[in-house]
Amino acid sequence: MDNIFETIVQAYQSLWHFKDYGNTLEIITPVATVNNMFVSIFITKRGDNYIATDGGWIDAGLYECEINWKANVFNKIGAFYLESFEIQRIYVKERTFYYKRIDQLELLPNIVFDLANFVNAIVSSANIQFVSDRVDMTFKKEVRGYLRREFGVDRFEYDKPLSDNMTIRFNAIERNHRGVNLINFVSGSNSSYYASSLCRSNMNFQLILPLRDRYSIQNTVTLLDDRKRSIIESPQVQTYYDYLIDNQNDKNKVILWSQKADLAQAI
């Protein structure tokens, strides 16, 4: 049994890493979030106090998620974890820092452990889509209103499949004498929701490709909500966005909402 214990301890210890920044020590813990990122905790000493913080990484989006404290469900979850782990927060240099403070060196591992688990809980919770994304629904409503005003009330069908025997739905379908144009709307209140919306849109267009001639599909258009640049430029979204841009052509087009006037030439 001693060998088992030593094996586990050695393996666990090897997962801890440190980076020394002079007055600050970064501890890269073995605590991993649901999106497979290891939690880092930053230690500084001020006077007689040792302070452990998340380094502002949650607020900066370095865990590839966006914390929406205004969302009713998440606000309750966040408040629960803040209270349970006795975490404090402070806004410094346009960024929120979550932290714990201690004045006894021997208790420092305790606050590192608490803060690491808090970061994991918050980041992991933010990656769960509890309800339909309201931003996504609001964007759909806004786009539909724009299409009706600019192109006429009856020009598009909304959230329907191409035929009754198909399960794939598209946000807007235009049928004309030349064929069919398909539009999908991409939006989301945080990086995870946005990336999910982008992937779903791209997958639906990929699935319809073999049936392009059968349904006389002329153009597919991905309409991207670009009003919140921090989301569309986040690492979690950028990979999928770059793929979409690299693969666009005369038949598969990408249009930003800020350039929605280009829709007239795309369909």
Side-chain angles (χ1 to χ4, degrees):
M1 296 300 291
D2 288 342
N3 290 337
I4 295 176
F5 175 76
E6 290 176 2
T7 299
I8 293 174
V9 169
Q10 290 175 3
Y12 188 68
Q13 287 178 341
S14 68
L15 295 173
W16 292 79
H17 300 281
F18 304 87
K19 291 182 181 179
D20 191 348
Y21 298 105
N23 294 328
T24 302
L25 181 68
E26 178 186 357
I27 302 174
I28 305 167
T29 76
V31 178
T33 64
V34 294
N35 55 341
N36 299 314
M37 303 190 72
F38 287 108
V39 173
S40 280
I41 302 299
F42 298 83
I43 306 295
T44 57
K45 189 174 187 297
R46 297 198 180 157
D48 296 329
N49 291 317
Y50 297 93
I51 304 172
T53 81
D54 77 316
W57 280 22
I58 293 178
D59 197 31
L62 293 179
Y63 289 106
E64 297 185 356
C65 72
E66 184 170 317
I67 307 301
N68 183 14
W69 289 98
K70 294 181 180 179
N72 189 41
V73 174
F74 185 82
N75 188 45
K76 291 180 180 178
I77 292 173
F80 170 80
Y81 284 121
L82 282 168
E83 183 178 350
S84 297
F85 290 106
E86 299 180 340
I87 304 296
Q88 300 181 67
R89 51 184 168 179
I90 187 171
Y91 192 72
V92 179
K93 296 181 179 179
E94 300 183 350
R95 188 182 300 179
T96 299
F97 289 75
Y98 299 90
Y99 71 96
K100 292 196 74 168
R101 184 194 307 264
I102 202 75
D103 58 7
Q104 301 176 57
L105 180 60
E106 59 271 20
L107 295 180
L108 187 56
N110 294 34
I111 64 172
V112 170
F113 180 80
D114 285 351
L115 196 61
N117 280 285
F118 165 77
V119 172
N120 175 41
I122 290 297
V123 171
S124 296
S125 297
N127 278 278
I128 301 173
Q129 187 168 349
F130 298 98
V131 294
S132 296
D133 190 1
R134 291 183 180 179
V135 169
D136 186 49
M137 298 301 294
T138 301
F139 184 61
K140 284 183 178 180
K141 184 177 180 180
E142 188 171 349
V143 175
R144 287 180 185 178
Y146 173 80
L147 294 178
R148 290 188 177 108
R149 290 193 306 272
E150 296 297 319
F151 298 97
V153 175
D154 300 323
R155 184 162 175 178
F156 294 94
E157 303 169 33
Y158 298 99
D159 288 327
K160 290 185 177 181
L162 276 174
S163 65
D164 293 337
N165 60 355
M166 186 181 296
T167 58
I168 304 170
R169 292 175 176 268
F170 300 95
N171 294 137
I173 301 174
E174 183 205 22
R175 304 179 194 269
N176 57 50
H177 65 279
R178 296 187 304 274
V180 174
N181 291 311
L182 304 174
I183 306 175
N184 273 337
F185 317 149
V186 173
S187 185
S189 60
N190 62 39
S191 301
S192 296
Y193 292 175
Y194 200 103
S196 176
S197 178
L198 188 54
C199 289
R200 184 169 59 252
S201 171
N202 187 55
M203 178 61 72
N204 285 347
F205 283 151
Q206 291 295 322
L207 289 173
I208 206 69
L209 278 179
L211 304 175
R212 194 152 201 159
D213 291 338
R214 177 179 175 184
Y215 289 97
S216 300
I217 299 172
Q218 302 298 305
N219 299 296
T220 62
V221 178
T222 305
L223 184 61
L224 298 171
D225 182 1
D226 63 334
R227 290 172 297 183
K228 196 163 185 180
R229 302 301 301 183
S230 60
I231 293 179
I232 199 170
E233 293 175 357
S234 67
Q236 191 169 358
V237 171
Q238 201 65 41
T239 300
Y240 302 107
Y241 176 78
D242 290 344
Y243 173 84
L244 194 66
I245 294 299
D246 290 342
N247 287 276
Q248 71 171 330
N249 52 49
D250 291 340
K251 297 294 184 180
N252 304 294
K253 303 172 183 178
V254 180
I255 296 177
L256 301 178
W257 179 239
S258 60
Q259 300 170 1
K260 53 185 174 290
D262 293 345
L263 274 170
Q265 287 76 42
I267 58 176

